[in-house]
Structure formats: C-alpha cells, structure tokens
Amino acid sequence: MSFSEKIFLLRSDCKLSQEDMAGRFDVSRQTISKWESGLSYPEIDKLIAISEMFNVSIDYLLKDNCKEKIQNDELEKIVLKFLGSSQDMGKISEQLIDIMKDGIIDDNEKLQLEKIVCILDEVEENIEHIKDLIKNKKGDG
C-alpha cells in the first residue's frame, strides 16, 4: 500500500475531512488532496506530526510493504469484538443452569438456547480469527 493510500485510509478511519486534517497540520485542503493522490509528500515535520497523530511509525507511512498498522488494527478490532461477545459468559452459564433445572425444555427455553448457541458460535469465530491473526503476525515477524 502506498503512502497516499495509507494517508487516505488513516484520515477516513478517523472520520476527518480533508479540510479537518488540513487544519490540524496547518496546510491547505489542496495539500492534503495532493498527499492522498500521490502528487506530493509532506515535509519532515508534517510527516512526524502525522505519525504521532495516527499513532503509526514513519516506516509504516513510507514503506509500501509495511503491514504493521493494518495487522495491529485488525487484531485490536477482533479482540474487542471477542471481549464484547464473550462478556456475558457468566450470564449465559446462569441461563443454562435455569433452563436445565427442571429437566424440561419448553418453547421459550428453546429460543433462549438458540440465542446462546449463536453467541457461542460468534465467540468461537472470534477466537479462530484471533488465532489466525496471531499466527500470521508471527510468520511476518
């Protein structure tokens, strides 16, 4: 991925307009447009400021083959998704105990079980995705 593509993605991910970004770096909107279209590069001081603002290395910004930011972002997102989907495991355990108490599963409890299975499937998918990302990260490093 080129510098221009990375700048565009970083800006877009932060939901900044070219105008907003221009204001933060004390340049014109046209300058941001030129960076994103590959017509020019920022001066060193602006490059450092971009690196700090988006919390990425200058290597990541300038090197076409640097996957660091994308992999870290993807791993972070999937871990957060995993934490969100697995946050209620205690509640799920309590629901399962309540369902199984009387030994009879009625229609309402069947619906609860279906929801629980969906949540557990999502947790399992997230775990597999995390494993894949970690394995790929080890292979790159």
Side-chain angles (χ1 to χ4, degrees):
M1 188 182 312
S2 68
F3 171 79
S4 58
E5 293 168 316
K6 291 174 188 174
I7 287 294
F8 172 79
L9 285 175
L10 290 168
R11 179 181 63 76
S12 298
D13 285 349
C14 289
K15 298 180 179 18
L16 293 172
S17 68
Q18 287 184 341
E19 189 95 9
D20 294 334
M21 190 163 161
R24 291 182 184 214
F25 295 108
D26 196 29
V27 296
S28 68
R29 187 207 54 79
Q30 291 81 0
T31 298
I32 302 297
S33 178
K34 287 180 182 178
W35 294 349
E36 291 181 355
S37 62
L39 296 175
S40 70
Y41 285 87
E43 298 167 350
I44 297 295
D45 63 325
K46 304 291 186 211
L47 193 61
I48 293 168
I50 292 167
S51 168
E52 290 172 351
M53 177 179 165
F54 293 114
N55 196 29
V56 296
S57 68
I58 293 175
D59 274 356
Y60 166 76
L61 290 171
L62 297 179
K63 291 182 179 177
D64 286 347
N65 62 352
C66 192
K67 298 177 183 177
E68 155 199 323
K69 175 67 175 169
I70 294 166
Q71 287 178 341
N72 287 341
D73 280 355
E74 190 174 354
L75 183 58
E76 187 175 305
K77 285 177 186 175
I78 196 68
V79 167
L80 289 173
K81 187 176 179 183
F82 166 75
L83 290 173
S85 63
S86 62
Q87 186 174 6
D88 292 328
M89 294 306 281
K91 193 185 300 182
I92 288 173
S93 295
E94 290 172 12
Q95 286 176 333
L96 287 171
I97 290 169
D98 286 345
I99 290 170
M100 301 308 292
K101 270 184 184 175
D102 62 5
I104 301 169
I105 299 175
D106 62 29
D107 288 340
N108 186 35
E109 291 171 330
K110 283 182 186 176
L111 287 174
Q112 281 182 295
L113 282 173
E114 286 177 19
K115 288 179 185 177
I116 289 170
V117 168
C118 287
I119 292 170
L120 294 175
D121 285 345
E122 184 179 333
V123 170
E124 181 183 16
E125 287 174 22
N126 289 334
I127 290 170
E128 289 305 315
H129 197 173
I130 290 169
K131 285 180 184 177
D132 289 342
L133 288 170
I134 290 171
K135 186 178 5 172
N136 290 339
K137 204 170 174 99
K138 286 180 182 176
D140 291 339

